[in-house]
Every structure is written in C-alpha cells, then in structure tokens.
Amino acid sequence: RMHALDVDTLSMWAGTGHACGDELPKEWRGLFFMSGNRQPDGSPSPLIGMDTTLCTFHARGRTLACPLSSMLWAPREASITTARKLAAARFSYELHFDVRFAAARVTAYVFGVSVLDQMGMVWDIAKVSGDGQTLRRCSWATEAASVVGETPLERVRRARRNKESCFSPRRMAYAGRVNKGVVKDVKKAWGNTLFR
C-alpha cells in the first residue's frame, strides 16, 4: 500500500531506517533524490528516490539488498500504477560493492529472477564526492559496458567525461539532517507530497 509523505517533515521519515546496520559505510546511507533519472523515452522517471537505510546490508558479500519500500515515487497516478505493478512482480534490487566501497554494480530482480542480464543491460553506481553527498548512476548495453571498462568505478569515471546515459542521485536526508538545497529542487520538480 502506498503512503503519502510530506516533504516538510522529511527529517522525521527520510534516512532514518536501521535495516542497513552500522557496517555499511555512512557515505552510502540516506535518502537520495534521483536527480535526472529518466525513462527510455526521455521523460522524467516516476522513481525519484531511494532510501538505503531501509535496505539490508550483508557485510560478507558487500551487498545491499533493497525492497520496493525503499523507493520514493512522484505524486502522479502513473507513478502509483507503476509502483503497484512492480510490487505485484516482487521487484527488488541489490548493490554489489567493490572492496573500497567506491562503486557498485546494480542487480534488479522480478519474481526473484535477475532481469538486467536478460535485458542486455548493466547498471553501475559510484560516489562522485568523497562524502557520498552525490552519486552517479549509469546504464549501459552489456556490449558497451565491456568496452568502456572492466569495473563499475572505471565505467562511471569514464562516463563522467563522455556524458553517457547517467544521472546523479543526491543525498536529501540522513539521520535527521536535511540538505535544504536538494529539498528545494525536489519541491520545485514534484511539489510537497511524495509517495512510498
């Protein structure tokens, strides 16, 4: 079931989960605004946020497992419809980090089955700023990814120069601290109410 959330009370509900535990580095914790996330047709994606504090971190495999409930949606009927379809398909995703936690490869699941390989896609995410305030998420066709680089970090670094299919998640909130500049951008784009 979807719940409406007030952006003005962000510090009370965003980036306040404890599922990720203390072993996940702090720079990867919080609610991130998916600034620039677009659908294949170029229109803004209804998926506008991810809250990693609602994900479960498995230290042995350096894997962050995120349920659909960790995602934040735009206040549009199409967004709610998309979220409900993904819920019915038991959609989830995982971040598989490198040893230094500088970057991760993303795996997406539908009905427990990994789907990006079947779609011929590779998704990478990496820190742009050392403090984790800004990340970079890039999408590649599988053949293109292998040409650009061998690791997620290498590919994302090269994509920053080449302006590939990337966007820049920015931390909105974590542990009661709110980035007012990011909140202002969210309100300008989507208003005061979001859904999860």
Side-chain angles (χ1 to χ4, degrees), residues 28 102-106 122-128 134-140 145 148-169:
W28 287 97
R105 183 165 177 173
V106 182
V122 172
W123 291 355
D124 296 319
I125 189 165
K127 292 186 296 182
V128 174
T134 303
L135 306 175
R136 188 85 163 148
R137 224 280 277 144
C138 299
S139 302
W140 318 87
V148 175
E150 295 182 5
T151 67
L153 183 60
E154 187 178 20
R155 289 191 290 266
V156 171
R157 282 180 170 169
R158 290 180 177 173
R160 289 177 64 193
R161 293 194 294 271
N162 299 333
K163 297 182 179 178
E164 301 289 347
S165 178
C166 302
F167 62 92
S168 299

mmCIF file of all heavy atoms in Angstrom, residues 28 102-106 122-128 134-140 145 148-169:
data_model
loop_
_atom_site.group_PDB
_atom_site.id
_atom_site.type_symbol
_atom_site.label_atom_id
_atom_site.label_comp_id
_atom_site.label_asym_id
_atom_site.label_seq_id
_atom_site.Cartn_x
_atom_site.Cartn_y
_atom_site.Cartn_z
ATOM 1 N N TRP A 28 27.124 5.905 2.043
ATOM 2 C CA TRP A 28 26.111 5.233 1.230
ATOM 3 C C TRP A 28 24.745 5.192 1.921
ATOM 4 O O TRP A 28 23.808 4.605 1.398
ATOM 5 C CB TRP A 28 26.561 3.807 0.905
ATOM 6 C CG TRP A 28 27.663 3.756 -0.100
ATOM 7 C CD1 TRP A 28 28.998 3.639 0.151
ATOM 8 C CD2 TRP A 28 27.534 3.832 -1.518
ATOM 9 N NE1 TRP A 28 29.712 3.630 -1.029
ATOM 10 C CE2 TRP A 28 28.831 3.747 -2.074
ATOM 11 C CE3 TRP A 28 26.444 3.961 -2.393
ATOM 12 C CZ2 TRP A 28 29.069 3.787 -3.449
ATOM 13 C CZ3 TRP A 28 26.686 3.998 -3.764
ATOM 14 C CH2 TRP A 28 27.987 3.909 -4.273
ATOM 15 N N ALA A 102 33.746 2.175 -3.255
ATOM 16 C CA ALA A 102 33.758 3.351 -4.127
ATOM 17 C C ALA A 102 32.652 3.266 -5.166
ATOM 18 O O ALA A 102 32.170 4.291 -5.657
ATOM 19 C CB ALA A 102 35.117 3.475 -4.824
ATOM 20 N N ALA A 103 32.244 2.039 -5.515
ATOM 21 C CA ALA A 103 31.239 1.848 -6.561
ATOM 22 C C ALA A 103 30.570 0.492 -6.368
ATOM 23 O O ALA A 103 31.027 -0.345 -5.590
ATOM 24 C CB ALA A 103 31.900 1.921 -7.943
ATOM 25 N N ALA A 104 29.479 0.313 -7.115
ATOM 26 C CA ALA A 104 28.746 -0.951 -7.038
ATOM 27 C C ALA A 104 28.085 -1.252 -8.371
ATOM 28 O O ALA A 104 27.765 -0.338 -9.139
ATOM 29 C CB ALA A 104 27.680 -0.886 -5.943
ATOM 30 N N ARG A 105 27.897 -2.526 -8.618
ATOM 31 C CA ARG A 105 27.085 -2.951 -9.755
ATOM 32 C C ARG A 105 25.686 -3.241 -9.208
ATOM 33 O O ARG A 105 25.545 -3.823 -8.128
ATOM 34 C CB ARG A 105 27.671 -4.189 -10.420
ATOM 35 C CG ARG A 105 26.869 -4.612 -11.650
ATOM 36 C CD ARG A 105 27.610 -5.582 -12.529
ATOM 37 N NE ARG A 105 26.777 -5.998 -13.655
ATOM 38 C CZ ARG A 105 27.208 -6.728 -14.658
ATOM 39 N NH1 ARG A 105 28.457 -7.124 -14.691
ATOM 40 N NH2 ARG A 105 26.393 -7.069 -15.640
ATOM 41 N N VAL A 106 24.677 -2.829 -9.951
ATOM 42 C CA VAL A 106 23.292 -2.993 -9.513
ATOM 43 C C VAL A 106 22.682 -4.229 -10.184
ATOM 44 O O VAL A 106 22.871 -4.448 -11.382
ATOM 45 C CB VAL A 106 22.454 -1.748 -9.871
ATOM 46 C CG1 VAL A 106 21.017 -1.901 -9.364
ATOM 47 C CG2 VAL A 106 23.090 -0.489 -9.313
ATOM 48 N N VAL A 122 23.531 -3.243 -18.129
ATOM 49 C CA VAL A 122 24.394 -3.160 -16.954
ATOM 50 C C VAL A 122 24.121 -1.825 -16.287
ATOM 51 O O VAL A 122 24.097 -0.782 -16.951
ATOM 52 C CB VAL A 122 25.895 -3.240 -17.344
ATOM 53 C CG1 VAL A 122 26.783 -2.953 -16.141
ATOM 54 C CG2 VAL A 122 26.213 -4.613 -17.919
ATOM 55 N N TRP A 123 23.878 -1.847 -14.962
ATOM 56 C CA TRP A 123 23.697 -0.617 -14.187
ATOM 57 C C TRP A 123 24.840 -0.506 -13.186
ATOM 58 O O TRP A 123 25.135 -1.466 -12.460
ATOM 59 C CB TRP A 123 22.373 -0.632 -13.411
ATOM 60 C CG TRP A 123 21.143 -0.540 -14.255
ATOM 61 C CD1 TRP A 123 21.058 -0.355 -15.599
ATOM 62 C CD2 TRP A 123 19.784 -0.635 -13.796
ATOM 63 N NE1 TRP A 123 19.750 -0.336 -16.013
ATOM 64 C CE2 TRP A 123 18.947 -0.503 -14.915
ATOM 65 C CE3 TRP A 123 19.205 -0.827 -12.552
ATOM 66 C CZ2 TRP A 123 17.560 -0.542 -14.838
ATOM 67 C CZ3 TRP A 123 17.826 -0.879 -12.451
ATOM 68 C CH2 TRP A 123 17.014 -0.724 -13.591
ATOM 69 N N ASP A 124 25.481 0.650 -13.157
ATOM 70 C CA ASP A 124 26.570 0.923 -12.220
ATOM 71 C C ASP A 124 26.237 2.153 -11.392
ATOM 72 O O ASP A 124 25.524 3.049 -11.857
ATOM 73 C CB ASP A 124 27.882 1.221 -12.970
ATOM 74 C CG ASP A 124 28.394 0.043 -13.780
ATOM 75 O OD1 ASP A 124 28.318 -1.087 -13.278
ATOM 76 O OD2 ASP A 124 28.867 0.262 -14.913
ATOM 77 N N ILE A 125 26.781 2.204 -10.168
ATOM 78 C CA ILE A 125 26.639 3.392 -9.330
ATOM 79 C C ILE A 125 27.948 3.617 -8.586
ATOM 80 O O ILE A 125 28.617 2.660 -8.188
ATOM 81 C CB ILE A 125 25.440 3.252 -8.354
ATOM 82 C CG1 ILE A 125 25.155 4.577 -7.653
ATOM 83 C CG2 ILE A 125 25.655 2.113 -7.368
ATOM 84 C CD1 ILE A 125 23.799 4.635 -6.967
ATOM 85 N N ALA A 126 28.341 4.877 -8.452
ATOM 86 C CA ALA A 126 29.612 5.195 -7.792
ATOM 87 C C ALA A 126 29.511 6.534 -7.085
ATOM 88 O O ALA A 126 28.654 7.369 -7.398
ATOM 89 C CB ALA A 126 30.751 5.238 -8.813
ATOM 90 N N LYS A 127 30.408 6.721 -6.107
ATOM 91 C CA LYS A 127 30.487 8.012 -5.417
ATOM 92 C C LYS A 127 31.175 9.018 -6.334
ATOM 93 O O LYS A 127 32.196 8.726 -6.936
ATOM 94 C CB LYS A 127 31.295 7.889 -4.123
ATOM 95 C CG LYS A 127 30.644 7.074 -3.038
ATOM 96 C CD LYS A 127 31.462 7.133 -1.755
ATOM 97 C CE LYS A 127 32.834 6.501 -1.935
ATOM 98 N NZ LYS A 127 33.618 6.497 -0.685
ATOM 99 N N VAL A 128 30.609 10.215 -6.427
ATOM 100 C CA VAL A 128 31.263 11.316 -7.136
ATOM 101 C C VAL A 128 32.000 12.176 -6.125
ATOM 102 O O VAL A 128 33.112 12.625 -6.355
ATOM 103 C CB VAL A 128 30.241 12.156 -7.934
ATOM 104 C CG1 VAL A 128 30.908 13.371 -8.549
ATOM 105 C CG2 VAL A 128 29.601 11.296 -9.020
ATOM 106 N N THR A 134 26.886 13.156 -3.356
ATOM 107 C CA THR A 134 26.483 12.987 -4.745
ATOM 108 C C THR A 134 27.008 11.656 -5.274
ATOM 109 O O THR A 134 28.182 11.338 -5.105
ATOM 110 C CB THR A 134 27.014 14.127 -5.631
ATOM 111 O OG1 THR A 134 26.557 15.376 -5.116
ATOM 112 C CG2 THR A 134 26.518 13.977 -7.070
ATOM 113 N N LEU A 135 26.118 10.897 -5.901
ATOM 114 C CA LEU A 135 26.475 9.639 -6.537
ATOM 115 C C LEU A 135 26.327 9.805 -8.049
ATOM 116 O O LEU A 135 25.904 10.850 -8.516
ATOM 117 C CB LEU A 135 25.565 8.512 -6.035
ATOM 118 C CG LEU A 135 25.469 8.318 -4.514
ATOM 119 C CD1 LEU A 135 24.435 7.235 -4.192
ATOM 120 C CD2 LEU A 135 26.819 7.957 -3.935
ATOM 121 N N ARG A 136 26.663 8.770 -8.784
ATOM 122 C CA ARG A 136 26.488 8.769 -10.237
ATOM 123 C C ARG A 136 26.008 7.392 -10.633
ATOM 124 O O ARG A 136 26.634 6.389 -10.290
ATOM 125 C CB ARG A 136 27.811 9.087 -10.918
ATOM 126 C CG ARG A 136 27.707 9.291 -12.416
ATOM 127 C CD ARG A 136 27.329 10.705 -12.707
ATOM 128 N NE ARG A 136 27.597 11.056 -14.086
ATOM 129 C CZ ARG A 136 26.860 11.927 -14.762
ATOM 130 N NH1 ARG A 136 25.842 12.501 -14.162
ATOM 131 N NH2 ARG A 136 27.138 12.230 -16.000
ATOM 132 N N ARG A 137 24.846 7.319 -11.307
ATOM 133 C CA ARG A 137 24.287 6.038 -11.725
ATOM 134 C C ARG A 137 24.217 5.998 -13.243
ATOM 135 O O ARG A 137 23.669 6.896 -13.867
ATOM 136 C CB ARG A 137 22.896 5.852 -11.133
ATOM 137 C CG ARG A 137 22.663 4.478 -10.565
ATOM 138 C CD ARG A 137 22.328 3.412 -11.561
ATOM 139 N NE ARG A 137 20.903 3.411 -11.901
ATOM 140 C CZ ARG A 137 20.456 3.140 -13.108
ATOM 141 N NH1 ARG A 137 21.278 2.890 -14.099
ATOM 142 N NH2 ARG A 137 19.169 3.135 -13.360
ATOM 143 N N CYS A 138 24.835 4.979 -13.850
ATOM 144 C CA CYS A 138 24.905 4.880 -15.304
ATOM 145 C C CYS A 138 24.302 3.570 -15.798
ATOM 146 O O CYS A 138 24.403 2.531 -15.132
ATOM 147 C CB CYS A 138 26.354 4.961 -15.776
ATOM 148 S SG CYS A 138 27.180 6.512 -15.332
ATOM 149 N N SER A 139 23.683 3.627 -16.960
ATOM 150 C CA SER A 139 23.102 2.448 -17.607
ATOM 151 C C SER A 139 23.840 2.195 -18.915
ATOM 152 O O SER A 139 24.135 3.131 -19.658
ATOM 153 C CB SER A 139 21.622 2.682 -17.922
ATOM 154 O OG SER A 139 20.900 2.998 -16.762
ATOM 155 N N TRP A 140 24.102 0.924 -19.176
ATOM 156 C CA TRP A 140 24.817 0.543 -20.384
ATOM 157 C C TRP A 140 24.170 -0.667 -21.031
ATOM 158 O O TRP A 140 23.624 -1.521 -20.337
ATOM 159 C CB TRP A 140 26.256 0.125 -20.059
ATOM 160 C CG TRP A 140 26.985 0.947 -19.071
ATOM 161 C CD1 TRP A 140 26.995 0.814 -17.708
ATOM 162 C CD2 TRP A 140 27.833 2.051 -19.359
ATOM 163 N NE1 TRP A 140 27.805 1.758 -17.145
ATOM 164 C CE2 TRP A 140 28.345 2.538 -18.125
ATOM 165 C CE3 TRP A 140 28.243 2.674 -20.535
ATOM 166 C CZ2 TRP A 140 29.211 3.611 -18.037
ATOM 167 C CZ3 TRP A 140 29.114 3.744 -20.464
ATOM 168 C CH2 TRP A 140 29.582 4.199 -19.224
ATOM 169 N N ALA A 145 29.255 -1.786 -22.096
ATOM 170 C CA ALA A 145 29.877 -1.753 -20.775
ATOM 171 C C ALA A 145 31.245 -2.411 -20.801
ATOM 172 O O ALA A 145 32.212 -1.897 -20.229
ATOM 173 C CB ALA A 145 28.978 -2.454 -19.757
ATOM 174 N N VAL A 148 33.778 -0.030 -22.344
ATOM 175 C CA VAL A 148 34.096 1.166 -21.554
ATOM 176 C C VAL A 148 35.034 0.856 -20.393
ATOM 177 O O VAL A 148 35.950 1.621 -20.091
ATOM 178 C CB VAL A 148 32.804 1.836 -21.031
ATOM 179 C CG1 VAL A 148 33.131 3.007 -20.108
ATOM 180 C CG2 VAL A 148 31.963 2.330 -22.199
ATOM 181 N N GLY A 149 34.821 -0.261 -19.701
ATOM 182 C CA GLY A 149 35.677 -0.594 -18.562
ATOM 183 C C GLY A 149 35.323 -1.921 -17.939
ATOM 184 O O GLY A 149 34.236 -2.468 -18.182
ATOM 185 N N GLU A 150 36.222 -2.417 -17.121
ATOM 186 C CA GLU A 150 36.031 -3.727 -16.504
ATOM 187 C C GLU A 150 35.275 -3.662 -15.179
ATOM 188 O O GLU A 150 34.683 -4.645 -14.760
ATOM 189 C CB GLU A 150 37.386 -4.402 -16.270
ATOM 190 C CG GLU A 150 38.127 -4.742 -17.551
ATOM 191 C CD GLU A 150 39.441 -5.452 -17.286
ATOM 192 O OE1 GLU A 150 39.732 -5.753 -16.109
ATOM 193 O OE2 GLU A 150 40.175 -5.702 -18.253
ATOM 194 N N THR A 151 35.300 -2.508 -14.509
ATOM 195 C CA THR A 151 34.663 -2.381 -13.198
ATOM 196 C C THR A 151 33.649 -1.246 -13.206
ATOM 197 O O THR A 151 33.743 -0.326 -14.034
ATOM 198 C CB THR A 151 35.709 -2.091 -12.111
ATOM 199 O OG1 THR A 151 36.260 -0.777 -12.330
ATOM 200 C CG2 THR A 151 36.826 -3.133 -12.123
ATOM 201 N N PRO A 152 32.684 -1.276 -12.269
ATOM 202 C CA PRO A 152 31.727 -0.166 -12.181
ATOM 203 C C PRO A 152 32.406 1.190 -12.001
ATOM 204 O O PRO A 152 32.030 2.167 -12.651
ATOM 205 C CB PRO A 152 30.879 -0.534 -10.962
ATOM 206 C CG PRO A 152 30.902 -2.026 -10.936
ATOM 207 C CD PRO A 152 32.309 -2.382 -11.364
ATOM 208 N N LEU A 153 33.424 1.257 -11.146
ATOM 209 C CA LEU A 153 34.100 2.537 -10.908
ATOM 210 C C LEU A 153 34.770 3.050 -12.171
ATOM 211 O O LEU A 153 34.662 4.234 -12.506
ATOM 212 C CB LEU A 153 35.137 2.386 -9.786
ATOM 213 C CG LEU A 153 35.880 3.674 -9.388
ATOM 214 C CD1 LEU A 153 34.897 4.729 -8.894
ATOM 215 C CD2 LEU A 153 36.922 3.368 -8.326
ATOM 216 N N GLU A 154 35.436 2.185 -12.886
ATOM 217 C CA GLU A 154 36.105 2.579 -14.125
ATOM 218 C C GLU A 154 35.100 3.089 -15.158
ATOM 219 O O GLU A 154 35.316 4.114 -15.809
ATOM 220 C CB GLU A 154 36.876 1.380 -14.686
ATOM 221 C CG GLU A 154 37.750 1.703 -15.883
ATOM 222 C CD GLU A 154 38.530 0.481 -16.361
ATOM 223 O OE1 GLU A 154 38.144 -0.668 -16.051
ATOM 224 O OE2 GLU A 154 39.542 0.679 -17.056
ATOM 225 N N ARG A 155 33.981 2.384 -15.280
ATOM 226 C CA ARG A 155 32.970 2.791 -16.254
ATOM 227 C C ARG A 155 32.348 4.131 -15.897
ATOM 228 O O ARG A 155 32.162 4.998 -16.761
ATOM 229 C CB ARG A 155 31.893 1.702 -16.372
ATOM 230 C CG ARG A 155 32.380 0.445 -17.058
ATOM 231 C CD ARG A 155 31.242 -0.500 -17.388
ATOM 232 N NE ARG A 155 30.642 -1.130 -16.216
ATOM 233 C CZ ARG A 155 30.989 -2.307 -15.735
ATOM 234 N NH1 ARG A 155 31.953 -3.007 -16.310
ATOM 235 N NH2 ARG A 155 30.366 -2.823 -14.686
ATOM 236 N N VAL A 156 32.000 4.319 -14.614
ATOM 237 C CA VAL A 156 31.370 5.576 -14.209
ATOM 238 C C VAL A 156 32.329 6.746 -14.381
ATOM 239 O O VAL A 156 31.942 7.824 -14.835
ATOM 240 C CB VAL A 156 30.854 5.486 -12.751
ATOM 241 C CG1 VAL A 156 30.412 6.853 -12.255
ATOM 242 C CG2 VAL A 156 29.702 4.498 -12.659
ATOM 243 N N ARG A 157 33.586 6.564 -14.045
ATOM 244 C CA ARG A 157 34.563 7.644 -14.222
ATOM 245 C C ARG A 157 34.693 8.046 -15.680
ATOM 246 O O ARG A 157 34.766 9.228 -16.004
ATOM 247 C CB ARG A 157 35.922 7.213 -13.667
ATOM 248 C CG ARG A 157 36.008 7.299 -12.156
ATOM 249 C CD ARG A 157 37.355 6.861 -11.652
ATOM 250 N NE ARG A 157 37.506 7.161 -10.227
ATOM 251 C CZ ARG A 157 38.492 6.696 -9.477
ATOM 252 N NH1 ARG A 157 39.425 5.906 -10.004
ATOM 253 N NH2 ARG A 157 38.550 7.012 -8.197
ATOM 254 N N ARG A 158 34.698 7.075 -16.555
ATOM 255 C CA ARG A 158 34.783 7.388 -17.985
ATOM 256 C C ARG A 158 33.493 8.010 -18.495
ATOM 257 O O ARG A 158 33.516 8.877 -19.367
ATOM 258 C CB ARG A 158 35.132 6.126 -18.768
ATOM 259 C CG ARG A 158 36.555 5.672 -18.515
ATOM 260 C CD ARG A 158 36.923 4.430 -19.286
ATOM 261 N NE ARG A 158 38.325 4.103 -19.051
ATOM 262 C CZ ARG A 158 38.906 2.998 -19.486
ATOM 263 N NH1 ARG A 158 38.217 2.116 -20.189
ATOM 264 N NH2 ARG A 158 40.183 2.764 -19.222
ATOM 265 N N ALA A 159 32.371 7.588 -17.946
ATOM 266 C CA ALA A 159 31.083 8.143 -18.360
ATOM 267 C C ALA A 159 30.967 9.609 -17.990
ATOM 268 O O ALA A 159 30.320 10.394 -18.686
ATOM 269 C CB ALA A 159 29.939 7.352 -17.724
ATOM 270 N N ARG A 160 31.583 10.027 -16.908
ATOM 271 C CA ARG A 160 31.532 11.437 -16.498
ATOM 272 C C ARG A 160 32.152 12.316 -17.567
ATOM 273 O O ARG A 160 31.734 13.444 -17.784
ATOM 274 C CB ARG A 160 32.254 11.625 -15.166
ATOM 275 C CG ARG A 160 31.526 11.039 -13.981
ATOM 276 C CD ARG A 160 32.313 11.200 -12.711
ATOM 277 N NE ARG A 160 32.486 12.607 -12.356
ATOM 278 C CZ ARG A 160 33.338 13.030 -11.432
ATOM 279 N NH1 ARG A 160 34.094 12.178 -10.794
ATOM 280 N NH2 ARG A 160 33.438 14.314 -11.157
ATOM 281 N N ARG A 161 33.157 11.791 -18.245
ATOM 282 C CA ARG A 161 33.790 12.567 -19.313
ATOM 283 C C ARG A 161 32.998 12.476 -20.609
ATOM 284 O O ARG A 161 32.914 13.427 -21.372
ATOM 285 C CB ARG A 161 35.218 12.062 -19.546
ATOM 286 C CG ARG A 161 36.175 12.323 -18.392
ATOM 287 C CD ARG A 161 37.610 12.103 -18.817
ATOM 288 N NE ARG A 161 37.886 10.704 -19.139
ATOM 289 C CZ ARG A 161 38.292 9.805 -18.255
ATOM 290 N NH1 ARG A 161 38.442 10.138 -16.982
ATOM 291 N NH2 ARG A 161 38.536 8.557 -18.622
ATOM 292 N N ASN A 162 32.429 11.288 -20.845
ATOM 293 C CA ASN A 162 31.778 11.039 -22.130
ATOM 294 C C ASN A 162 30.287 11.357 -22.143
ATOM 295 O O ASN A 162 29.638 11.236 -23.169
ATOM 296 C CB ASN A 162 31.984 9.567 -22.534
ATOM 297 C CG ASN A 162 33.445 9.230 -22.703
ATOM 298 O OD1 ASN A 162 34.247 10.107 -23.014
ATOM 299 N ND2 ASN A 162 33.796 7.970 -22.493
ATOM 300 N N LYS A 163 29.732 11.720 -20.972
ATOM 301 C CA LYS A 163 28.310 12.067 -20.857
ATOM 302 C C LYS A 163 27.415 10.945 -21.377
ATOM 303 O O LYS A 163 26.568 11.142 -22.240
ATOM 304 C CB LYS A 163 28.009 13.384 -21.583
ATOM 305 C CG LYS A 163 28.737 14.575 -20.984
ATOM 306 C CD LYS A 163 28.381 15.874 -21.677
ATOM 307 C CE LYS A 163 29.097 17.050 -21.050
ATOM 308 N NZ LYS A 163 28.819 18.325 -21.717
ATOM 309 N N GLU A 164 27.630 9.756 -20.820
ATOM 310 C CA GLU A 164 26.813 8.617 -21.209
ATOM 311 C C GLU A 164 25.443 8.713 -20.545
ATOM 312 O O GLU A 164 25.067 9.739 -20.010
ATOM 313 C CB GLU A 164 27.529 7.321 -20.805
ATOM 314 C CG GLU A 164 28.901 7.164 -21.425
ATOM 315 C CD GLU A 164 28.868 6.877 -22.916
ATOM 316 O OE1 GLU A 164 27.788 6.555 -23.422
ATOM 317 O OE2 GLU A 164 29.919 6.973 -23.561
ATOM 318 N N SER A 165 24.717 7.614 -20.571
ATOM 319 C CA SER A 165 23.364 7.582 -20.017
ATOM 320 C C SER A 165 23.427 7.491 -18.491
ATOM 321 O O SER A 165 23.290 6.417 -17.918
ATOM 322 C CB SER A 165 22.610 6.386 -20.598
ATOM 323 O OG SER A 165 21.321 6.303 -20.048
ATOM 324 N N CYS A 166 23.651 8.617 -17.849
ATOM 325 C CA CYS A 166 23.858 8.660 -16.403
ATOM 326 C C CYS A 166 22.987 9.735 -15.759
ATOM 327 O O CYS A 166 22.539 10.660 -16.428
ATOM 328 C CB CYS A 166 25.318 8.964 -16.065
ATOM 329 S SG CYS A 166 26.514 7.803 -16.746
ATOM 330 N N PHE A 167 22.777 9.594 -14.461
ATOM 331 C CA PHE A 167 22.163 10.662 -13.678
ATOM 332 C C PHE A 167 22.841 10.693 -12.323
ATOM 333 O O PHE A 167 23.624 9.803 -11.977
ATOM 334 C CB PHE A 167 20.642 10.502 -13.564
ATOM 335 C CG PHE A 167 20.192 9.241 -12.875
ATOM 336 C CD1 PHE A 167 19.954 9.236 -11.509
ATOM 337 C CD2 PHE A 167 19.987 8.068 -13.586
ATOM 338 C CE1 PHE A 167 19.526 8.078 -10.861
ATOM 339 C CE2 PHE A 167 19.552 6.903 -12.947
ATOM 340 C CZ PHE A 167 19.326 6.918 -11.574
ATOM 341 N N SER A 168 22.551 11.727 -11.545
ATOM 342 C CA SER A 168 23.304 11.963 -10.309
ATOM 343 C C SER A 168 22.402 12.009 -9.075
ATOM 344 O O SER A 168 21.873 13.071 -8.723
ATOM 345 C CB SER A 168 24.077 13.285 -10.413
ATOM 346 O OG SER A 168 24.998 13.224 -11.478
ATOM 347 N N PRO A 169 22.228 10.879 -8.396
ATOM 348 C CA PRO A 169 21.490 10.896 -7.128
ATOM 349 C C PRO A 169 22.204 11.782 -6.102
ATOM 350 O O PRO A 169 23.426 11.730 -5.975
ATOM 351 C CB PRO A 169 21.511 9.428 -6.681
ATOM 352 C CG PRO A 169 21.743 8.647 -7.942
ATOM 353 C CD PRO A 169 22.637 9.519 -8.761
#
